[in-house]
Amino acid sequence: MNALTQRYTVMPGGALKGRLRVPGDKSISHRAIMFGALAEGETEVEGFLDGADCLATLAAFRALGVQIETLGAGHVRVHGVGLHGLTPASGPIDLGNSGTAMRLMAGVLAGQAFASTLVGDASLSRRPMRRVTAPLAQMGARIDATPEGTPPLRIHGAETLRGIDYEMPMASAQVKSALLLAGLYAQGKTCVTEPAPTRDHTERMLAGFGYRVARDGARVCLNGGGRLSGGKVVVPADISSAAFFLVGASIAPGSELLLEHVGINPTRTGVIEILRRMRADIDVIEPREMSGEPVADLRVRYAPLQGIDIPEDLVPLAIDEFPALFIAAACAQGTTRLTGAAELRVKESDRIQAMADGLSAIGVAAEVQSDGIVIQGADAFGGGVIHSHGDHRIAMAFAMAGLRAEKQIEIVDCANVDTSFPGFVDKASAVGLGIGSSL
Ligand code: S3P
């Protein structure tokens, strides 16, 4: 498929109705493969995200000598090799578009007795890696990157790692996870302190695999030299994928949608909190727990939204949902202001600039700031051509904007939607979005 030419055409108007289970959580799916591979015994994963990003992680561990069976849609069995059972890959490991795969793998591979090279696509090759290579170097790892601190990463391996006590300068679950993974191989204790709460799937899954992790407020620690034991992981539907439908149903009059079995880990539910503050109508139904992660069904109905100042403490808890939230802001009464979100500039695209450009293209006023954006809600807006910059979440956010547009929206460069949401066009069409895809 030609990444640049895949485009979406979204018809104006419509409503979202019915029920829908979006694909499995991306963060948890990556970790299920990684921990399953490093564990002793078998790990069976259900609800695995068969999207390009997690398949890159799966292929990476196969290249490192791990046997992984695909048993059907979203169902894999990982034959764990234990913490010291990986074998060198025969060449560079290609992690495609996935920042999570590259940063977490850097932590794993720093602890190995052999060298590895990690490469990625054009977007991943522009993303900052010093945030992981610098603290890993403090642990004793030797990792080369480009002079700009970007991939490819050449990880020398064969070093004795030592635990460190690291205060993260940014709220990043990827950095925290990379250091904890390296910490499994380190002598002594590895601790990471986060400036604000970030997703804690790594800590939860380590505990689920029988590894002791201690949390004291913002600080999480583990001792190296333990072992992981495999088991079963049931992956919930990804709240980051559900977010597009939470926004779509909130902005389209007449909508009522039930999103099934969505992960509602409190480190991920900023999108619900922010939408509720904007007066969205969202119910959390039958909260339950699966594989150490909270899960629920979410019912969302159309409601007139109100612009807000987004509290900065909610930013890390909704970090991947801002493209969708900006579309909610475009449809709200009044102004929405986001600050403290400079991290959005180093995601799969510069999401502040890409969203501002797209909003302007359809006639919504958006003012870019260094660490955020100010969006003026509009009663109505037009159509236009949007460039997704190869960013899956920009493409899906503007697909939802079609529900309130007065003219057709065309979105170009959409192939990367497959990184997190394979089947998006069919699933969105089935609940009422007038979307088609062409090459
Ligand atoms: C992720 C952490 C977040 C998030 C990314 C997935 C993870 O990145 O944006 O999509 O699985 O740990 P940062 O750690 O860079 O904030």
Side-chain angles (χ1 to χ4, degrees):
M1 190 176 297
N2 184 332
L4 271 171
T5 56
Q6 193 185 7
R7 58 170 62 207
Y8 291 164
T9 305
V10 191
M11 294 301 157
L16 300 183
K17 290 185 187 148
R19 54 203 301 152
L20 169 68
R21 180 161 175 167
V22 300
D25 188 279
K26 182 151 73 76
S27 294
I28 299 174
S29 295
H30 280 299
R31 287 159 172 82
I33 297 293
M34 292 181 188
F35 290 124
L38 300 177
E40 290 165 28
E42 285 181 5
T43 292
E44 199 154 327
V45 189
E46 280 176 17
F48 176 73
L49 172 62
D50 294 312
D53 274 13
C54 300
L55 292 173
T57 291
L58 189 154
F61 278 94
R62 279 187 177 151
L64 292 161
V66 181
Q67 194 198 335
I68 306 176
E69 294 172 76
T70 47
L71 303 172
H75 192 183
V76 300
R77 186 182 294 135
V78 186
H79 296 265
V81 295
L83 280 173
H84 299 283
L86 297 180
T87 53
S90 58
I93 298 174
D94 188 352
L95 298 170
N97 193 242
S98 180
T100 305
M102 188 168 288
R103 294 190 178 123
L104 271 58
M105 296 286 299
V108 173
L109 294 171
Q112 305 305 315
F114 53 83
S116 309
T117 301
L118 302 180
V119 301
D121 70 4
S123 153
L124 182 53
S125 299
R126 284 192 294 269
R127 296 185 67 187
M129 292 296 146
R130 258 182 216 130
R131 54 183 59 203
V132 288
T133 58
L136 288 171
Q138 287 179 31
M139 295 178 77
R142 278 197 304 143
I143 306 178
D144 305 326
T146 66
E148 294 74 41
T150 52
L153 297 184
R154 170 83 181 153
I155 300 162
H156 290 248
E159 308 295 339
T160 305
L161 301 185
R162 49 190 180 272
I164 55 168
D165 198 339
Y166 189 67
E167 286 215 17
M168 279 195 295
M170 75 289 287
S172 168
Q174 292 177 356
V175 176
K176 173 176 65 175
S177 302
L179 300 186
L180 293 177
L181 282 159
L184 298 173
Y185 294 93
Q187 287 177 348
K189 191 164 157 187
T190 299
C191 297
V192 186
T193 303
E194 42 191 14
T198 67
R199 65 192 68 194
D200 63 358
H201 307 301
T202 295
E203 298 92 302
R204 286 174 187 254
M205 205 178 285
L206 278 168
F209 279 69
Y211 209 99
R212 216 182 104 69
V213 182
R215 179 172 278 277
D216 181 11
R219 187 159 174 260
V220 48
C221 300
L222 56 73
N223 283 303
R227 41 208 288 196
L228 297 163
S229 13
K232 184 161 179 167
V233 179
V234 182
V235 182
D238 197 331
I239 190 167
S240 298
S241 296
F244 300 104
F245 293 90
L246 292 175
V247 167
S250 294
I251 63 174
S255 295
E256 176 168 348
L257 203 55
L258 187 77
L259 294 158
E260 296 168 345
H261 209 71
V262 181
I264 54 158
N265 180 314
T267 59
R268 298 284 300 280
T269 48
V271 63
I272 297 178
E273 179 64 28
I274 292 168
L275 284 171
R276 280 182 169 162
R277 287 179 188 224
M278 296 176 80
R279 303 195 190 155
D281 180 357
I282 300 172
D283 292 323
V284 175
I285 300 167
E286 278 185 51
R288 49 204 183 261
E289 197 168 299
M290 294 296 297
S291 300
E293 290 280 349
V295 171
D297 299 326
L298 302 178
R299 186 191 300 116
V300 51
R301 298 186 177 96
Y302 165 74
L305 300 181
Q306 184 69 46
I308 59 165
D309 289 354
I310 298 172
E312 287 194 8
D313 60 342
L314 291 177
V315 169
L317 310 181
I319 193 66
D320 291 337
E321 287 66 72
F322 285 106
L325 285 166
F326 293 174
I327 299 302
C331 300
Q333 259 311 308
T335 307
T336 295
R337 287 183 199 82
L338 172 68
T339 54
E343 277 292 301
L344 291 180
R345 292 196 176 271
V346 290
K347 294 295 178 188
E348 287 85 327
S349 68
D350 174 346
R351 287 186 173 159
I352 293 179
Q353 193 62 53
M355 285 302 298
D357 292 346
L359 289 170
S360 306
I362 58 173
V364 175
E367 190 191 309
V368 168
Q369 306 199 320
S370 60
D371 68 341
I373 194 166
V374 180
I375 297 171
Q376 302 296 340
D379 281 337
F381 49 80
V385 179
I386 308 290
H387 207 297
S388 81
H389 297 276
D391 185 330
H392 54 139
R393 301 203 198 280
I394 305 290
M396 290 186 276
F398 280 102
M400 292 300 158
L403 291 159
R404 279 281 287 272
E406 290 179 334
K407 291 195 179 124
Q408 184 173 300
I409 293 182
E410 294 264 332
I411 311 163
V412 301
D413 197 2
C414 295
N416 277 340
V417 166
D418 193 46
T419 60
S420 67
F421 201 143
F424 172 71
V425 167
D426 289 346
K427 288 209 165 176
S429 304
V431 293
L433 188 68
I435 184 170
S437 149
S438 60
L439 286 179

